Amino acid sequence: MQEDMQEDKQKSKHEDEQEEMNTNNEDTRMSVEKNTDITMENDDTKSDSGENWSGSMGSPAVTEEVEEDEEQFTQVLNEIRKELKDRMKTSKRRPVANAQAQVLSFNKSARPETIADHNDPYKVDWTVVDENVNYYVGEKALRLHDKENKFKLFYPIQHGEFNTKDYNSIKAVVGDLETIWTVTLTEKLEISSKNFKSYSIILVIPDIYNRLYVSEMITMLLRYMGFRRVFIAQESVCVSFGAGISVACIVDIGAQTSTVACVEDGMCIPDSRICLRYGGDDITTFFIRLLRKSKFPYTEMDLNRMYDWMLAEEMKEKFCTLDEANLVIQLNEFYVRAPNQPTLKYQIKTYDDAIISPMCLFYPHIINFHKKSAEFPPKFTSSVIDDITEGVNNTSTGLSPSLVMQKPKLSVATQATQVKTSFPSPSPQQRDSPGPMTPVRVENSTAPTNGPSPTSNTTPSVSRNQNSSSIDPSSTHPLDEAIIQSINAAATEERAKKFYGSILLVGGGALISGIHKMLENRIFSRTLPFTDKFEILGSPRDLDPRLLAWKGGSVMSKLEIVNELWINSNEWEELGVRCLREKALFVW
């Protein structure tokens, strides 16, 4: 099951938290690519996902920052347009004369058309809040009214890691994930929680993983959810098995992050792993920003509202392309569906906006990473995690509430969620046997109900990495440069040629039309003297590239060698994470 899925949840809180929730709107972004996990809590105002490009113009410092961002944005935008012009010239295509003026003139005069409910085949059934329901999962969570409900959207996984920014402890994050997965397995797959003990689980973890988080996930699956056994696999390895390729450079373009890793004979090469802090969500916000500069007629669009964010995602999927043949004036239409309002149909014209937007993957410096780094909260770190008891103690020590971040991905298949009431424990499910360390909230900190004191000398120290909010420069490299860097770090010259001849593009970003050709041209121009065989591969057998890791996990579960690598509950309780040193197909 996979961490690239998004999940939502809501819990009830008090009216005096309304202002705080409004300031956290950006931290609860939803992506159609479903590469992140989500959660929601109840408040008198709902905090939606997205990014507001308008900015705050209160202080001179903020004004100066906005002006500097706009200046850099314009500079990089001109660079992209110059490359696009050169590519058009190389392919002997002529740009449309006076295209921008035509687009601006049409969009400025565009007016919406009201569509009656009985004429709208895709009318949205908005979720009606039931006072007796404590949380919502999946589409029900995303379809809640923005103004009439008292739920807040949460994402247990953000930017590929636990979202400890919006949670007070890792236990709270894991508790919400347990609720989400339990509801999803019960409702979508019709597997009762009583029957979990009959099922085995494959947990797909990121190529660059956090040991503490992985151990907490395994504890949740075996101890609390009660599955029979679990097998751990890295994401890129699962992709290679799903594609049936033994040697490949796996490029996964997700919603909030993108990853690059080289796989050879079922093993991920550690030195080749790269995590890039941008993805499909950045394309979406970039696209909407460009549309606004082209007199976008739906002036009320607010990416902090869930239905507007989902509309932006839909427009990105329909309109965006990297195929120069589509660089013509396009007449497009979209539908605005909002709660308690009639459906509105808009028509707009686009020119180069649709092709410039996905090019931010190759020009990531157009993204304001300084602003984006605020979304990356400090991580929980531990000095020692050698057995399961120590791992649990680490997350249970008294800590002031602040938290960790995604979009890349502990992977278990679930949906978005919302919860209405505050739970006495991180998960709403009652535990008959709470285990040695079940934390409870005590005045903004977590304290164990049983077991040794968190200040005991036998308990490893837990701290927050205060530098984790800064972005590593290597994580902001253009996608083509990251691929070259990954391959060069993974192999000798002869082995590198094999990787260049087998670059596999997966994830939601792989669905962008023309991305394979553009990526191939950009990499080939840089490696021409080095290799004469070069190919960007798509998902084989017309499989959805977003689901290829799941397909690979299914294939791996049937391998004879995996029979000896399953971890059952007794082994985990007795040996803890030491099991992974002998039963993982990667270096723990």
Side-chain angles (χ1 to χ4, degrees), residues 22-45:
N22 288 337
T23 63
N24 291 332
N25 282 348
E26 285 192 6
D27 299 327
T28 56
R29 174 179 300 172
M30 170 68 186
S31 166
V32 169
E33 298 172 41
K34 303 302 176 230
N35 287 346
T36 7
D37 298 307
I38 308 171
T39 316
M40 296 184 79
E41 289 192 1
N42 183 355
D43 200 345
D44 284 344
T45 54

Side-chain angles (χ1 to χ4, degrees), residues 197-340:
K197 60 184 178 182
S198 302
Y199 289 86
S200 302
I201 289 289
I202 294 183
L203 180 63
V204 183
I205 66 173
D207 299 319
I208 302 176
Y209 54 87
N210 184 306
R211 292 185 179 184
L212 179 59
Y213 301 167
V214 174
S215 66
E216 285 294 330
M217 299 286 287
I218 299 175
T219 301
M220 177 193 68
L221 292 170
L222 294 178
R223 179 188 293 175
Y224 297 141
M225 297 186 73
F227 285 102
R228 177 188 172 195
R229 56 185 184 175
V230 64
F231 169 69
I232 312 299
Q234 288 178 293
E235 191 173 24
S236 60
V237 175
C238 288
V239 170
S240 67
F241 273 91
I245 302 175
S246 60
V247 178
C249 177
I250 310 297
V251 182
D252 185 352
I253 305 176
Q256 294 176 325
T257 59
S258 302
T259 59
V260 184
C262 294
V263 176
E264 185 176 27
D265 297 331
M267 296 290 292
C268 176
I269 302 176
D271 292 340
S272 69
R273 301 172 298 172
I274 296 177
C275 179
L276 303 172
R277 298 298 184 182
Y278 55 82
D281 283 3
D282 298 289
I283 298 177
T284 303
T285 52
F286 186 23
F287 183 46
I288 298 302
R289 188 173 184 178
L290 291 176
L291 290 181
R292 285 172 174 165
K293 291 181 176 293
S294 300
K295 303 296 181 182
F296 188 54
Y298 179 34
T299 57
E300 298 84 5
M301 171 171 275
D302 180 3
L303 296 185
N304 289 320
R305 291 195 299 242
M306 179 55 65
Y307 60 84
D308 277 345
W309 175 258
M310 295 177 68
L311 171 61
E313 286 280 322
E314 180 183 353
M315 293 173 61
K316 175 192 69 175
E317 293 180 350
K318 289 183 177 180
F319 305 158
C320 287
T321 179
L322 283 172
D323 188 354
E324 296 95 338
N326 294 326
L327 188 57
V328 295
I329 297 178
Q330 300 272 5
L331 178 61
N332 300 305
E333 60 183 31
F334 63 92
Y335 296 83
V336 178
R337 297 178 176 90
N340 301 324

Side-chain angles (χ1 to χ4, degrees), residues 218-477:
I218 299 175
T219 301
M220 177 193 68
L221 292 170
L222 294 178
R223 179 188 293 175
Y224 297 141
M225 297 186 73
F227 285 102
R228 177 188 172 195
R229 56 185 184 175
V230 64
F231 169 69
I232 312 299
Q234 288 178 293
E235 191 173 24
S236 60
V237 175
C238 288
V239 170
S240 67
F241 273 91
I245 302 175
S246 60
V247 178
C249 177
I250 310 297
V251 182
D252 185 352
I253 305 176
Q256 294 176 325
T257 59
S258 302
T259 59
V260 184
C262 294
V263 176
E264 185 176 27
D265 297 331
M267 296 290 292
C268 176
I269 302 176
D271 292 340
S272 69
R273 301 172 298 172
I274 296 177
C275 179
L276 303 172
R277 298 298 184 182
Y278 55 82
D281 283 3
D282 298 289
I283 298 177
T284 303
T285 52
F286 186 23
F287 183 46
I288 298 302
R289 188 173 184 178
L290 291 176
L291 290 181
R292 285 172 174 165
K293 291 181 176 293
S294 300
K295 303 296 181 182
F296 188 54
Y298 179 34
T299 57
E300 298 84 5
M301 171 171 275
D302 180 3
L303 296 185
N304 289 320
R305 291 195 299 242
M306 179 55 65
Y307 60 84
D308 277 345
W309 175 258
M310 295 177 68
L311 171 61
E313 286 280 322
E314 180 183 353
M315 293 173 61
K316 175 192 69 175
E317 293 180 350
K318 289 183 177 180
F319 305 158
C320 287
T321 179
L322 283 172
D323 188 354
E324 296 95 338
N326 294 326
L327 188 57
V328 295
I329 297 178
Q330 300 272 5
L331 178 61
N332 300 305
E333 60 183 31
F334 63 92
Y335 296 83
V336 178
R337 297 178 176 90
N340 301 324
Q341 297 181 22
T343 300
L344 299 179
K345 175 184 176 181
Y346 285 88
Q347 285 189 328
I348 61 169
K349 283 188 176 181
T350 59
Y351 180 53
D352 59 357
D353 298 342
I355 194 172
I356 288 177
S357 300
M359 287 189 71
C360 71
L361 297 175
F362 310 110
Y363 289 86
H365 44 297
I366 202 169
I367 302 170
N368 188 342
F369 284 103
H370 176 70
K371 177 181 178 182
K372 193 173 182 180
S373 64
E375 302 177 14
F376 304 159
K379 304 176 183 179
F380 286 114
T381 58
S382 173
S383 58
V384 179
I385 315 174
D386 275 339
D387 63 48
I388 189 61
T389 303
E390 293 176 357
V392 175
N393 287 351
N394 283 341
T395 62
S396 303
T397 54
L399 293 170
S400 58
S402 64
L403 315 149
V404 135
M405 64 173 208
Q406 191 207 93
K407 329 234 191 123
K409 314 141 194 174
L410 275 178
S411 307
V412 177
T414 53
Q415 301 284 331
T417 339
Q418 302 199 38
V419 183
K420 182 179 172 183
T421 57
S422 298
F423 299 129
S425 64
S427 171
Q429 298 181 354
Q430 299 297 323
R431 310 231 190 261
D432 296 332
S433 177
M437 297 293 294
T438 302
V440 295
R441 289 292 303 279
V442 181
E443 296 183 356
N444 293 333
S445 65
T446 56
T449 57
N450 296 305
S453 167
T455 59
S456 170
N457 293 333
T458 61
T459 302
S461 62
V462 177
S463 62
R464 297 182 190 277
N465 183 358
Q466 298 300 328
N467 295 326
S468 63
S469 60
S470 60
I471 297 183
D472 183 354
S474 64
S475 66
T476 63
H477 286 170

Side-chain angles (χ1 to χ4, degrees), residues 524-547:
F524 188 67
S525 63
R526 297 170 181 262
T527 61
L528 183 58
F530 178 74
T531 178
D532 53 355
K533 182 182 178 182
F534 182 84
E535 186 176 5
I536 302 291
L537 304 176
S539 185
R541 302 181 296 278
D542 295 327
L543 292 174
D544 189 334
R546 296 171 294 185
L547 308 180

